Amino acid sequence: MSRFIHQALAETQYVAPLMADFNLNLSPVSSVYYLNTTQHGLRRFTVQWDQVFVHEHVQNGSFTFQCILVENGTIIMLYKKMPISITSISTTNHPVTVGVADAFYVDYHLVFGLVRRYIYEYHSINVSATYAFDTQSSLVLQPIPNCVIAQSCQQCIANTNFNCGWCENLKRCSDGIDRHRQEWIDSNCSERAVRLCEKLASTSSSGLSSGAYAGIAVGILLFIAIVLIAVFVVYAYYHPTSPSGLWLIE
């Protein structure tokens, strides 16, 4: 889930079909399997926790469950064997969670080249207390199309689920709250992101007329002035008796 490992990973960035104090060393039959497949043209990554035990509840029996990540963002959680309810699992040594969460990090540059990194959890879904997870139950999380899937300004602005903006510097759509937050800030997208593609086009065209064209005009005028002064000085130098030469001598 995260680009780097940090201490708050289990609290801020996870896909958890069941997060608890599981210990594979409690039984020789406990295993974790994974499988890559393709179904209906979509890639699927499946992880199965098979006959695993919670450290504080060995006497209650083992758990078997799966989590399937589908390429389109769908998350499927399947529970084959649940010996006790989730609300009965001890939270003494580890939090008990069913859900997803994500975070972004921002680097702040301090003195002497030091960098301090802050982790911000921007969204989480915790359903462990609101859903009955019994044996042979399942949970499906369907994604809402967000900003980052847009590939153009038009697609970006068409998304009405979030406050999306198009950053021309990065060629990226975002609301500024995702795991690419650092790049968004470094590219000054918070100020430059547009929410009307017509505004982006007008900004580009007006920039050429008022900015580039004005600069070109000033440059041409300066060049003409320099050339005229040079011609005047050369003429006065080679014609010292002329009014220009006499003025230059004075």
Side-chain angles (χ1 to χ4, degrees), residues 84-98:
I84 58 176
S85 66
I86 291 180
T87 55
S88 301
I89 300 176
S90 173
T91 59
T92 303
N93 297 320
H94 198 283
V96 176
T97 303
V98 174

Side-chain angles (χ1 to χ4, degrees), residues 145-232:
N146 57 14
C147 304
V148 297
I149 65 174
Q151 301 297 316
S152 67
C153 182
Q154 288 74 19
Q155 292 179 4
C156 180
I157 304 307
N159 189 325
T160 58
N161 296 315
F162 300 89
N163 187 27
C164 302
W166 178 260
C167 182
E168 187 67 14
N169 289 355
L170 291 176
K171 302 292 184 183
R172 180 181 298 164
C173 180
S174 176
D175 59 355
I177 308 298
D178 56 48
R179 60 173 51 200
H180 300 292
R181 173 73 175 179
Q182 185 71 55
E183 297 176 12
W184 191 261
I185 294 175
D186 293 342
S187 299
N188 202 25
C189 292
S190 298
E191 290 75 25
R192 297 184 178 181
V194 297
R195 288 169 175 80
L196 288 174
C197 297
E198 292 79 6
K199 182 178 179 181
L200 177 64
S202 63
T203 300
S204 301
S205 59
S206 63
L208 286 174
S209 58
S210 62
Y213 293 153
I216 292 173
V218 172
I220 292 175
L221 291 176
L222 288 176
F223 176 76
I224 293 174
I226 293 172
V227 170
L228 292 176
I229 293 173
V231 171
F232 173 81

Side-chain angles (χ1 to χ4, degrees), residues 37-53:
T37 58
T38 300
Q39 186 173 342
H40 304 300
L42 296 175
R43 291 176 296 177
R44 299 159 64 100
F45 178 69
T46 303
V47 180
Q48 176 170 314
W49 288 260
D50 192 76
Q51 302 184 70
V52 294
F53 291 83

Side-chain angles (χ1 to χ4, degrees), residues 26-66:
L26 295 176
S27 172
V29 299
S30 299
S31 301
V32 177
Y33 303 100
Y34 68 90
L35 178 67
N36 284 302
T37 58
T38 300
Q39 186 173 342
H40 304 300
L42 296 175
R43 291 176 296 177
R44 299 159 64 100
F45 178 69
T46 303
V47 180
Q48 176 170 314
W49 288 260
D50 192 76
Q51 302 184 70
V52 294
F53 291 83
V54 177
H55 195 84
E56 296 87 350
H57 301 282
V58 178
Q59 70 281 1
N60 295 112
S62 64
F63 294 73
T64 297
F65 53 93
Q66 282 186 356

